[in-house]
């Protein structure tokens, strides 16, 4: 009946409200590094007596789909379960731990080595994956997220993502891009790709010779990426705050460009109207504060790894490559 974000952070509150969620401001008491989810939920219930069932969705599991939550809510509301939690099936053989200095051997925990079978032929075991915990109010007030008439909900392996440590981030990122939920509307096919020249197509550096001629460098991989976009029928255009027409002419990309653009968003809106495109059909790669509004408008947005902080916050995708070092090619592959 209601969607809440529990936080003590101003920026998280702002974003949550932008997406239509209500916000519960956590007290300092339950906002410590050692605070548990259960403590935060119990505090929330103390302020919301109208709530009978809580579905605690963990932010560290970003591949959760609404269809799973609907089925879990039905288990509680229609089938009478008191608590439901998420699990995933794993095919891993477990052995007992032998600590350093102990004079004993390891023992198998869930297999018989004399009758060892292939893991893919074994049904596996169910493990909590931390994606969500649903429970009735009376259980939570007693200090439980699991109890009473319990049920587990088995999630698909590709949707089971749990971010615990730093190395989990790149794995989670790729899972979300491949299996994540992107809303009810189908993704629009990109028809226009707009790239900021300085800092995206080039590395933003300008080299000046002794006779005062300017030179810039670019990465050939980015040219390949632009050609791939054009082969797929995506129109490519460039935009720049400075007059870099000679640079673009020298690279011979044959693309429309707007240079000396004092208002990039206005240029973007003019192109969008002239081509009759939906914003979701436009992809934008920028790297500076002047690109922020364009990044927010475009259906797909990206920045190089070395983009400024405000641009990174506005973008939907942050490349691993720096500007002028393959970021255009990488973003092109992201679009595909």
């Amino acid at each position: 009946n209601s969607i809440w974000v529990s936080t003590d952070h101003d920026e998280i509150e702002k974003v949550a409200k932008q997406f239509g969620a209500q916000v519960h401001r956590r007290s300092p008491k339950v906002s410590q590094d050692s605070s548990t989810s259960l403590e935060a939920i119990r505090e929330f219930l103390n302020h919301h007596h109208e709530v009978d069932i809580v579905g605690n969705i963990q932010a560290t599991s970003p591949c959760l789909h609404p269809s799973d939550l609907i089925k879990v809510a039905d288990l509680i509301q229609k089938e009478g379960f008191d608590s439901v939690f998420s699990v995933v099936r794993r095919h891993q053989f477990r052995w007992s731990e032998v600590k350093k200095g102990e004079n004993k051997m390891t023992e198998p925990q869930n297999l018989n080595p004399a009758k060892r079978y292939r893991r893919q032929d074994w049904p596996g075991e169910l493990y909590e994956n931390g994606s969500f915990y649903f429970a009735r109010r009376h259980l939570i007030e007693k200090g439980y997220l699991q109890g009473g008439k319990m049920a587990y909900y088995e999630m698909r392996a590709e949707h089971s993502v749990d971010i615990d440590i730093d190395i989990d981030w790149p794995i989670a990122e790729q899972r979300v891009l491949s299996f994540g939920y992107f809303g009810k509307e189908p993704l629009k096919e990109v028809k226009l790709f707009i790239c900021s020249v300085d800092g995206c197509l080039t590395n933003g550096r300008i080299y000046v010779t002794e006779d005062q001629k300017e030179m810039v460098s670019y990465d050939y991989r980015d040219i390949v990426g632009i050609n791939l976009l054009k082969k797929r029928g995506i129109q490519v255009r460039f935009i720049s705050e400075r007059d870099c027409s000679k640079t673009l002419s020298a690279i011979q990309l044959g693309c429309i460009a707007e240079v000396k653009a004092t208002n990039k968003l206005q240029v973007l809106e003019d192109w969008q109207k002239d081509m009759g495109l939906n914003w979701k059909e436009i992809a934008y790669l920028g790297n500076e504060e002047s690109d922020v509004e364009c990044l927010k408008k475009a259906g797909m947005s990206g920045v190089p790894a070395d983009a400024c902080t405000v641009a990174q916050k506005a973008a939907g995708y942050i490349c691993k490559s720096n500007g002028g070092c393959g970021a255009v090619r990488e973003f092109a592959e992201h679009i595909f």
Side-chain angles (χ1 to χ4, degrees):
N1 294 326
S2 57
I3 299 171
W4 294 81
V5 170
S6 173
T7 183
D8 66 333
H9 195 281
D10 292 339
E11 188 174 350
I12 292 175
E13 177 179 9
K14 181 181 177 182
V15 173
K17 288 180 176 177
Q18 285 176 349
F19 282 87
Q22 298 180 70
V23 174
H24 169 74
R25 289 294 299 211
R26 292 190 190 188
S27 68
K29 183 180 178 181
V30 298
S31 300
Q32 308 301 313
D33 288 344
S34 58
S35 298
T36 66
S37 298
L38 181 59
E39 289 172 336
I41 295 168
R42 292 180 76 177
E43 180 191 72
F44 170 83
L45 287 177
N46 287 337
H47 291 84
H48 296 278
H49 299 287
E50 77 281 5
V51 175
D52 299 315
I53 299 167
V54 172
N56 177 36
I57 301 168
Q58 305 277 71
T60 47
S61 299
C63 258
L64 186 59
H65 282 234
S67 57
D68 290 330
L69 297 177
I70 291 167
K71 291 173 184 175
V72 171
D74 285 345
L75 285 172
I76 289 187
Q77 293 176 309
K78 296 179 181 179
E79 298 188 33
F81 286 96
D82 294 312
S83 60
V84 184
F85 55 94
S86 58
V87 299
V88 66
R89 190 173 298 274
R90 292 180 181 166
H91 298 79
Q92 296 173 326
F93 295 137
R94 291 182 288 106
W95 292 78
S96 63
E97 182 179 357
V98 178
K99 294 182 180 179
K100 191 174 182 179
E102 290 183 342
N103 187 23
K104 63 179 184 180
M105 294 187 298
T106 186
E107 298 286 342
Q109 298 291 298
N110 61 352
L111 78 152
N112 181 355
K115 296 181 180 179
R116 187 183 178 94
Y117 33 71
R118 298 191 312 163
R119 286 193 297 176
Q120 56 266 47
D121 294 332
W122 174 49
E125 296 179 327
L126 297 177
Y127 289 80
E128 277 189 40
N129 66 356
S131 190
F132 59 78
Y133 298 87
F134 276 62
R136 293 186 180 273
R137 182 187 192 97
H138 69 85
L139 272 178
I140 298 170
E141 288 177 337
K142 292 177 182 177
Y144 302 106
L145 279 175
Q146 296 157 303
K149 184 181 178 183
M150 287 187 290
Y152 62 77
Y153 180 87
E154 184 176 348
M155 290 178 60
R156 290 164 59 181
E158 60 266 33
H159 293 166
S160 182
V161 177
D162 188 22
I163 302 174
D164 278 330
I165 54 178
D166 289 350
I167 60 173
D168 293 333
W169 275 101
I171 298 170
E173 183 179 63
Q174 293 306 312
R175 285 279 191 91
V176 169
L177 291 174
S178 298
F179 305 110
Y181 179 74
F182 295 99
K184 293 180 180 180
E185 296 181 30
L187 288 173
K188 290 278 187 180
E189 184 178 355
V190 171
K191 294 181 180 177
L192 173 63
F193 169 66
I194 301 169
C195 178
S196 182
V197 177
D198 301 303
C200 291
L201 180 63
T202 71
N203 61 11
R205 295 176 180 173
I206 298 174
Y207 305 90
V208 182
T209 62
E210 288 183 352
D211 55 355
Q212 296 186 331
K213 289 183 178 180
E214 292 184 358
M215 295 187 299
V216 296
S217 65
Y218 65 90
D219 192 312
Y220 183 70
R221 292 173 295 179
D222 290 331
I223 307 304
V224 172
I226 291 166
N227 289 331
L228 287 172
L229 288 163
K230 292 164 74 174
K231 283 181 181 178
R232 296 210 182 189
I234 298 173
Q235 191 168 146
V236 178
R237 296 187 178 186
F238 292 96
I239 192 166
S240 175
E241 292 175 280
R242 69 184 189 92
D243 187 358
C244 58
S245 50
K246 289 183 179 179
T247 299
L248 294 172
S249 177
I251 301 175
Q252 296 182 328
L253 294 172
C255 300
I256 293 173
E258 182 76 20
V259 299
K260 295 192 287 186
T262 55
N263 187 334
K264 289 183 178 179
L265 180 59
Q266 185 61 59
V267 174
L268 191 63
E269 289 175 340
D270 291 342
W271 284 345
Q272 179 248 339
K273 290 174 184 175
D274 289 344
M275 296 180 68
L277 298 179
N278 184 300
W279 283 112
K280 293 192 176 182
E281 297 172 309
I282 298 174
Y284 190 94
L285 184 68
N287 76 306
E288 272 300 336
E289 193 168 344
S290 58
D291 296 307
V292 167
E293 295 306 316
C294 297
L295 292 166
K296 289 179 178 178
K297 279 278 189 181
M300 293 187 76
S301 59
V303 293
D306 55 350
C308 72
T309 303
V310 289
Q312 288 189 9
K313 287 182 178 180
Y317 181 79
I318 301 176
C319 297
K320 295 179 177 62
S321 306
N322 288 341
C325 299
V328 176
R329 171 64 186 267
E330 183 183 338
F331 189 58
E333 290 178 351
H334 174 63
I335 292 171
F336 300 149

